[in-house]
Amino acid sequence: MVEDGPVGHYELDLSGVRGMDGGSAALLIQLIGDLRERGAEGEIVGATGKVRGLLELYGAHPPKPSDKAPPARVGLFEQVGAAVDDLLGKLGEAADYIGTLVAEARLAIRTPRTVPWGNVVRLAERHGADALPIVAAINFLVGLILAFQASGQLERFGAEILVADLVGLSVVRELGPLMTAIIVAGRSGAAFAAELGTMRVSEEVDALRTLGMSPYRFLVAPRFIALILTLPLLTLMADGVGLLGGLVVGIYVLDLTLISYWNETLSAVGGLDILGGLIKSVLFAMVIAAIACQRGLATSGGAEGVGRSTTSAVVTTIFHLVLLDAALTWVFRIYGI
Amino acid sequence: MEETTKPQATTERPASGEAAPIIRFRGVHKSFGDKVILDGLDLDVPEGQTLVIMGPSGTGKSVTLRHVIGLMQPDQGQVEVWGKDVNQIARKELVALRKRIGYLFQDGALINWLNVGDNVALPLRENSKLDEAEIREKVEHKLELVHLPGIWDRMPGELSGGMRKRVGLARALITDAELILYDEPNAGLDPEMSGSINQLIAEIADTLGITSVVVTHLQSCVRVVADRVVLLEKGRLVVDLPRDEFLASKHPRVRSFLGDDPD
């Protein structure tokens, strides 16, 4: 390609070139190679923009050093500051969301006609009635396990009959409401977050807004109402099967009679205990619906985003359920409920 | 660089726009984090016009549409629709405004647990006092308008992409919208279905006299539906021309964007 000629240094100045295709770039690079073979030196200079990018891709133009300053080191104070700022931002968002929920709830109570009740029925069935078998099975086993564990200890004191008290109080006051809420958080909380997240990603939530409808009224309210109606009912049933689990152990393992076990349970568990458990379950329902719907509506980023929201909804909900349960147990104790 | 056609589109409109514009953007800025999407956008859309917004991906075409209906708020600048600043009006007024605007989302955005009829009827059931028979009649009329009669009971999951879009269009039209915003109406459709959607958009604009804004990157869509075309790049208008002039324009960005085949 290069004819015989004086050996020396050649510069190919491309500063005037605006565009170039791969073929021309390859040709130039071959030219440089030929020059080197002949003992001469060749260099491409002055290429800018796309031309430079193309040549760099072929490795023919040494990349110029970055003119951006290296990232500044972040000090401890700045890190703490950023973390606090982030936390305050999140708290602000949470307050904003709760405010919106309260405002929407007031509006819904004042104009109940605007709540899509058909949806409430559908959701109550799916998230209440359909959850019966799993809630029953788990709470039955919890009552059974509790009675088994307690019986070993209480037998040593000849106080087997107190198994009825222990199972009755723990199931009705704590485990019934909490276990049921955790199952529902895993079942319905995940479903809420995934449903609303998918709707958000496929622009259905935006579509509702453009149709002049509130996503809170149309999507969040029915889920709230469905859970507030069904979770206490599920909890009542959970209390019943939990006691039954204890009873089975009492009768078949500890040889207690049905009547004595039942009377002991009645003497230990009062209406106030059941009421306390139901109050908890209503508050748990609100926590599950609020967190799961918020995570769903805040979804962004396609299928992966939906997965993230769902995981986050379940984890956050369960954490807050346990936190709330601890707080409520403490409050109930102070007020003697 | 060759000759340039209106490199910086300005606020001046052709003489045809004597009436106050329906949509008016003034110096609209919008960023997501560090990424600037709209960079001082000025845009007017007069009544009855079909405006096509073209531009490479990520230049803020859909973001522009979302600003019109208040799904997004500008960081700076104003968006007025029918003379009202979308971001200053009360919630009730915004809801009333939205009822006058139809929005066709990329995938139709149908509510997937409601059947076709209930999807289209949704805005009427929620926001109007019409009785069931009147709603049924209106819905069936709109479904005929989008050439999909008699599919009331089908579920969105059973429909093809093109059908979902047409049902979405029927729903956008159900409140007798005066302005329709189309977000990539051809996305994900085969050329034949894409063509029939273009026909439908043009038909609706002509027969109902509706003002339309169409976001697309297809030349075929421009040919069929547009009265006027703007090219958006880096959050600003770089070209603003009537359709035929746009298609014949020698502006390098227009040429490269149209794939350089003026045929």
Side-chain angles (χ1 to χ4, degrees):
Chain A
M1 195 166 163
V2 181
E3 300 295 319
D4 283 348
V7 174
H9 184 91
Y10 296 89
E11 280 187 355
L12 298 173
D13 189 354
L14 300 186
S15 55
V17 180
R18 290 264 174 97
M20 182 189 269
D21 62 359
S24 334
L27 208 64
L28 286 180
I29 288 160
Q30 197 193 343
L31 182 67
I32 305 274
D34 288 351
L35 282 171
R36 289 217 177 108
E37 257 173 42
R38 287 178 36 80
E41 269 182 63
E43 205 183 351
I44 296 174
V45 296
T48 52
K50 278 184 182 166
V51 177
R52 185 188 188 100
L54 187 68
L55 289 169
E56 276 173 8
L57 206 61
Y58 282 86
H61 208 294
K64 78 175 185 201
S66 169
D67 48 9
K68 280 186 194 148
R73 278 190 56 196
V74 183
L76 179 66
F77 284 113
E78 279 170 75
Q79 283 182 28
V80 171
V84 170
D85 190 42
D86 190 46
L87 185 70
L88 287 179
K90 280 191 180 138
L91 283 178
E93 274 170 35
D96 207 29
Y97 177 64
I98 292 170
T100 310
L101 287 183
V102 171
E104 287 284 343
R106 280 182 52 195
L107 258 174
I109 290 168
R110 240 185 287 153
T111 51
R113 200 189 65 85
T114 58
V115 176
W117 293 101
N119 250 342
V120 174
V121 174
R122 185 180 66 91
L123 289 162
E125 187 188 344
R126 174 133 40 101
H127 297 284
D130 293 355
L132 273 173
I134 181 74
V135 169
I138 287 186
N139 280 286
F140 178 79
L141 289 174
V142 166
L144 199 85
I145 293 163
L146 207 58
F148 254 123
Q149 296 286 6
S151 65
Q153 301 299 316
L154 293 172
E155 251 180 338
R156 295 200 302 193
F157 304 100
E160 296 95 331
I161 189 69
L162 290 182
V163 166
D165 300 55
L166 189 139
V167 171
L169 283 177
S170 352
V171 164
V172 170
R173 293 181 69 115
E174 284 298 334
L175 293 171
L178 188 62
M179 289 306 290
T180 310
I182 287 177
I183 297 164
V184 170
R187 229 183 141 262
S188 309
F192 291 176
E195 280 167 8
L196 298 196
T198 310
M199 291 187 71
R200 173 104 189 98
V201 169
S202 62
E203 299 185 306
E204 287 169 54
V205 175
D206 287 335
L208 287 175
R209 289 208 175 95
T210 64
L211 296 171
M213 295 165 61
S214 156
Y216 285 94
R217 189 79 43 80
F218 191 71
L219 299 173
V220 178
R223 285 169 172 76
F224 249 87
I225 298 170
L227 275 201
I228 288 176
L229 292 178
T230 55
L231 195 59
L233 293 177
L234 282 174
T235 301
L236 267 185
M237 193 228 24
D239 290 350
V241 293
L243 294 181
L244 200 65
L247 182 70
V248 167
V249 174
I251 292 175
Y252 292 104
V253 179
L254 301 172
D255 286 331
L256 299 170
T257 63
L258 175 65
I259 300 291
S260 62
Y261 191 97
W262 185 242
N263 283 338
E264 190 61 30
T265 304
L266 282 186
S267 73
V269 179
L272 220 51
D273 297 311
I274 299 176
L275 183 71
L278 289 183
I279 292 173
K280 277 185 180 178
S281 75
V282 171
L283 295 171
F284 289 165
M286 291 181 174
V287 167
I288 298 170
I291 295 178
C293 291
Q294 189 273 336
R295 289 300 138 107
L297 288 179
T299 303
S300 61
E304 197 197 336
V306 174
R308 251 196 323 262
S309 297
T310 310
T311 310
S312 155
V314 174
V315 173
T316 316
T317 308
I318 291 178
F319 175 71
H320 283 88
L321 285 176
V322 176
L323 209 65
L324 178 66
D325 189 40
L328 286 175
T329 303
W330 188 59
V331 170
F332 286 176
R333 201 184 148 82
I334 290 174
Y335 289 98
I337 296 175
Chain B
M1 297 266 143
E2 306 158 80
E3 134 197 25
T4 51
T5 322
K6 264 206 196 170
Q8 271 302 326
T10 58
T11 54
E12 283 166 44
R13 285 288 132 257
S16 63
E18 25 348 77
I22 286 191
I23 302 173
R24 195 184 173 94
F25 277 63
R26 282 294 171 272
V28 174
H29 288 262
K30 180 77 181 175
S31 311
F32 297 124
D34 295 338
K35 203 165 177 236
V36 178
I37 304 293
L38 296 183
D39 187 16
L41 178 70
D42 293 322
L43 179 69
D44 286 348
V45 185
E47 191 171 353
Q49 189 176 65
T50 298
L51 172 75
V52 169
I53 303 180
M54 296 189 93
S57 304
T59 45
K61 304 186 299 282
S62 297
V63 170
T64 305
L65 279 196
R66 286 167 169 266
H67 275 85
V68 174
I69 200 158
L71 283 177
M72 280 183 182
Q73 285 78 40
D75 299 335
Q76 240 185 72
Q78 278 143 24
V79 179
E80 284 178 15
V81 181
W82 284 296
K84 287 179 183 156
D85 188 328
V86 177
N87 303 295
Q88 300 295 325
I89 53 179
R91 225 183 105 86
K92 270 193 176 163
E93 264 189 286
L94 181 62
V95 170
L97 190 82
R98 283 174 172 171
K99 284 182 206 162
R100 298 171 70 188
I101 306 176
Y103 196 121
L104 180 63
F105 288 88
Q106 279 196 24
D107 201 33
L110 303 180
I111 306 298
N112 62 20
W113 71 79
L114 296 177
N115 66 25
V116 166
D118 290 338
N119 256 294
V120 180
L122 194 59
L124 295 180
R125 293 224 170 102
E126 294 296 318
N127 291 322
S128 78
K129 297 202 160 54
L130 297 179
D131 66 35
E132 200 48 39
E134 288 170 301
I135 289 178
R136 202 161 178 105
E137 194 192 315
K138 275 196 99 158
V139 170
E140 272 167 1
H141 173 244
K142 297 298 180 202
L143 284 175
E144 271 168 40
L145 199 68
V146 297
H147 309 303
L148 287 174
I151 61 158
W152 185 293
D153 293 323
R154 304 271 289 274
M155 296 304 284
E158 304 164 17
L159 304 179
S160 70
M163 285 166 94
R164 272 206 298 278
K165 274 188 202 193
R166 283 191 279 165
V167 174
L169 185 53
R171 189 178 65 183
L173 289 166
I174 193 78
T175 48
D176 297 321
E178 298 153 63
L179 165 65
I180 300 204
L181 311 172
Y182 299 89
D183 191 1
E184 301 268 7
N186 314 92
L189 299 184
D190 61 70
E192 197 183 347
M193 184 56 77
S194 176
S196 82
I197 287 271
N198 292 340
Q199 287 296 341
L200 193 59
I201 295 172
E203 213 175 286
I204 283 166
D206 291 346
T207 54
L208 306 178
I210 292 176
T211 312
S212 318
V213 181
V214 185
V215 162
T216 187
H217 53 263
L218 286 190
Q219 198 183 151
S220 57
C221 180
V222 173
R223 286 183 191 285
V224 179
V225 309
D227 293 326
R228 169 180 154 218
V229 189
V230 296
L231 186 67
L232 205 61
E233 210 163 25
K234 294 187 181 142
R236 283 166 169 273
L237 293 192
V238 288
V239 175
D240 180 352
L241 291 170
R243 178 191 56 196
D244 295 333
E245 284 178 42
F246 180 86
L247 289 172
S249 164
K250 294 272 193 306
H251 191 293
R253 291 306 299 142
V254 175
R255 291 282 35 108
S256 88
F257 201 74
L258 291 179
D260 230 349
D261 54 343
D263 26 331

